[in-house]
Amino acid sequence: MSELLAGQPGERRLFLGNEAIARAALEAGVALAACYPGTPSSEIGDRLYEVSRTGRLVFEYSTNEKVALEVAAGASAAGWRALASMKHVGVNVAADALMTLAYVGVKGGLVLVSADDPSLFSSQNEQDNRLYARFAGIPMLEPESPQEAKDMTLAAFALSEELGLPVMLRTTTRVNHTRGVVSLGELAPPPPPGRFVKDPFSLVMVPAVARQAHARLLAKQERARALAESSPFNRLLGSGPLGVVASGVAAAYVADALLELGLQDRVTFLRLGFTYPLPEDLIARFLSRVDKVLVVEELEPYLEDALKALAQSRGLTVPIRGKGEGLFSRLYEFHPGLVRRVLAEFCQMPHEAPQPLPAAAELLGRPLPERPPILCPGCPHRAMYYAIKIALRDLGVEGVFPTDIGCYTLGLLPPLSMADYLICMGSSITTACGLSRASGQKVVAFIGDSTFFHGGLTGLANAVHNRHDLLLVILDNGTTAMTGHQPHPGVTLTPPDYPGQPVDLAAVVRGLGVTQFWRVNPLKYKESLAAAKEAVAAQGVRVLLAQSPCPLYVARLKGKRPTARFQISGDCGECRHCLEYLGCPAMYVTEAESRRQLLIDPDLCAGCAFCVQLCDHIRPAKRGKS
Amino acid sequence: MLRMRIFMTGVGGQGTLLASRVLGEAALAAGFTPLLSETHGMAQRGGVVTSTVILGDLKSPIISPGEADIVLAFEALEALRALEFCHAHTLMLANTAVIPPYPVAVGQVSYPPVGDMLAVVAGQVGGLLAFDASALARQAGSPLAVNMVLLGALAATDTLPVSAEDLKQVIRDKTNPRFVDANLTAFDLGAAAARDPENWHRRPAA
């Protein structure tokens, strides 16, 4: 059923870092896992969901990351091993719970996976969550490879129970989405039912209890530091007068650079994997052994600052460098060539950088066309955006568009251009409140269904209560499409065996006090345009619910795509309306007989039948013709 | 000691990730310790998707500019874009079929002539094998089997430390059973394309 359950102990499998984490959780006997999907963490939840269908563990897609961590905390308090996984910005949502959970402590091992995203492959910022571990005062492990992600996940559960603290497993995209060889261990048997033992004077954080708990947390950090000193994940490699320190995937780049530069005999390499609390004695021994130190870490100078502080407190004057001019950047992820170059320069080693080829654009004599990601053909979000655009045009009003986090954020790009302001999950509604209050402009906010349940509910309650003026369009495609079609509380079309009880989104909206409410299928143009015009023209808090399932999700569940296809019949003249307002990627322009003609690519057309409602020149394609 | 860095690039939905997975699994079965990485970010279609396969005693899962020994480009424009990752001895395998990016489809910019792009690549890398892999995939019965065509061609260049039979076994064991026959046919058509001298725009130096 699930690849994670296959194979005998000792076998070697090619696993994604995320799969290695999920497998390790099963070997550790995790009894409950909860997540909110977010790239680069999504596959951890997806694989554990697959396994949960065998009854081996309890798994849930939670409404948001705070909920996921709190559900895991509850299970842990009853003695179960529990895992909560999320992307880096998800920890911001969970932070309120995390800070105090560190005081409360855990019983069954609790591992919090924070998947950070240097270079922002799919995120709104590139925050370094190592600072969260220090902030909360919880132990942190940073793997460099899928095998180490597996080893550290197992160790994290044990460490969590030994200290009675949640443990952060901090990964980065390059670990989550690397596929490497991983050795299988023994799967743990399904755990027995847990039992919660009451102890309110250490588990209920009223001030008098929390004062004691804070002191206990500091004492646990001291014990954790001692464990970091002897951790096999922190080790000194090689010997030589030049010191190099690295953690996470940067340690892999360092290892390759040392090999390729032939530097092994000149460098002492401090390879850190247990990075909060830091092994201060080990670091001090390292610092006293070398002439100068280069710290190789992505994003923030977390280790560098700690090493400098430690050197000061121990009276060591060895130069410590990391971030800075000619050294490493605080921006973006590293790559092996970059690390090799900086390391060679720092060690004053001659090295041959690969000879770069001339730039392709230069050789071609023109820039290469960009290939931006776009809303898919047949995406219902595009149809709703189109209706809102036309409604605003017809009413002669300029709209301001706070948006949110999901596929629909790609409405940012022309020709749709339906995204003006975005901070984080749920911010479309709340920023719309402030924008409309301050500007008096017509504010149309967009949010997806999953995002609405994640972070939109409280904002909508606020908008109603405080009598704000905004139109909220909920783009409900029945799934969390952007991260790979995970379910959420509103789903009715569910993955196989998904046990979730659907929550009626429309009833929730009405229950939050919204009285002006429209519900449309955005692929039915007349209906959606009429509703859009009414909704745009109205005042106060109003919600337009646009419901049509993600066509990729439907295709995936049903195993086929719809068959109706459309084409442009005859000459549609110089009208560029489709391209300028709709921007369906299946539509393209050709130059034929020195005349520009719009056509529909039969391979890309998803058969949504939206465009056929806009223009008489668009007709169903005849069978066998394209 | 063998060190080989293989870079794959294509458009979302073309199966670059599956191709790297098949190659990685075959390498694992052949006793190597491969490392693969994926850059796909958001789940939508239409953007560029890249993946890497690293063979040998290396720990870094990604490839720096100028350091790919082999490039598999699933689309003509992406072949040219991948030049950044090539060096003077890189072997590139490129699909000559075109997937117009959105700015091209709507007529904002034009798509560079495929012949010009191939000439640029051929002038820079150590070897260029380019042919219409999409047509061969359709001929094999699955338009999505471009990845298998290119893997078949790569296997036939004899640059890999894994055999064509190793790769085919992974295709039999690990790809969707509904497409196995089409995938194997596509693989063989790719191998035949690599043996056709017409498709070599520049022969790798011996």
Side-chain angles (χ1 to χ4, degrees), chain B residues 33-66:
Chain B
T33 305
L35 259 183
L36 287 64
S37 80
E38 315 175 346
T39 303
H40 43 87
M42 298 177 285
Q44 303 81 8
R45 289 179 172 175
V48 181
V49 174
T50 65
S51 58
T52 65
V53 180
I54 312 284
L55 299 176
D57 54 347
L58 294 168
K59 293 183 166 185
S60 305
I62 54 171
I63 299 176
S64 295

Side-chain angles (χ1 to χ4, degrees), chain A residues 403-456:
Chain A
T403 191
D404 231 295
I405 308 245
C407 296
Y408 51 93
T409 321
L410 292 173
L412 167 76
L413 300 171
L416 293 169
S417 306
M418 295 295 276
D420 293 325
Y421 194 79
L422 168 66
I423 304 175
C424 62
M425 300 284 282
S427 72
S428 60
I429 306 173
T430 40
T431 59
C433 293
L435 277 168
S436 71
R437 186 70 79 183
S439 72
Q441 287 172 285
K442 188 65 81 178
V443 174
V444 182
F446 295 99
I447 194 167
D449 42 345
S450 190
T451 321
F452 180 69
F453 279 106
H454 175 287

Side-chain angles (χ1 to χ4, degrees), chain A residues 241-244 263 266-267 291-295 319-322 326-328 339-349 351:
Chain A
L242 300 165
V244 179
L263 266 173
R266 296 181 51 199
V267 166
D291 297 338
K292 60 176 185 175
V293 173
L294 180 68
V295 183
I320 298 167
R321 299 283 177 270
L327 297 165
F328 292 108
V339 170
R340 192 168 59 235
R341 177 180 64 72
V342 176
L343 196 60
E345 285 166 12
F346 186 78
C347 300
Q348 292 165 328
M349 274 290 292
H351 77 109

